[in-house]
Amino acid sequence: VKTNDTVRVDITTGKILDFVKFEAGNTVMIKGGNNMGRVGIIMHRERHPGSFEIVHVKDAVGHTFSTRLQNIFVVGKGTKPWISLPKGNGIKLSIVEDRN
């Protein structure tokens, strides 16, 4: 288990049941920034020594966006999330779609 990995813990025993690595192809939820609440799959990660690392994410509709590494939280292995997703499955609607 390394930095930015997600761990599933049994609360009663405190033992680690499973973990998901922070790597391309896993499902993530955005927890901060302008894209907060969106859910998608990690495409790739840009490393910038001395600055913020950027992660590129693709959502279920096919829209790609990028955010800082600190704003991302891995919620599932592959395309299957471990948690129940919010209504709309974390997809950001355009202004026109949101009006309807």
Side-chain angles (χ1 to χ4, degrees):
V1 180
K2 294 184 179 175
T3 308
N4 299 320
D5 291 352
T6 298
V7 178
R8 188 164 58 173
V9 178
D10 183 7
I11 296 174
T12 56
T13 63
K15 304 251 189 220
I16 295 175
L17 297 175
D18 199 2
F19 70 96
V20 182
K21 288 188 167 289
F22 185 89
E23 60 189 6
N26 285 338
T27 305
V28 293
M29 179 175 265
I30 313 302
K31 61 178 180 158
N34 286 337
N35 294 311
M36 189 182 331
R38 292 180 82 173
V39 175
I41 297 182
I42 301 173
M43 300 303 289
H44 67 279
R45 171 182 180 178
E46 292 178 12
R47 297 179 190 268
H48 297 283
S51 184
F52 298 107
E53 293 190 16
I54 304 297
V55 180
H56 294 269
V57 180
K58 186 175 195 174
D59 67 8
V61 181
H63 299 127
T64 57
F65 57 96
S66 56
T67 188
R68 291 179 178 176
L69 178 65
Q70 302 92 295
N71 295 336
I72 285 196
F73 181 68
V74 180
V75 294
K77 218 174 247 186
T79 58
K80 176 132 178 51
W82 281 357
I83 61 169
S84 55
L85 297 177
K87 73 172 188 174
N89 292 329
I91 296 178
K92 185 175 186 179
L93 301 174
S94 69
I95 296 170
V96 175
E97 293 168 336
D98 195 28
R99 238 187 327 178
N100 297 335

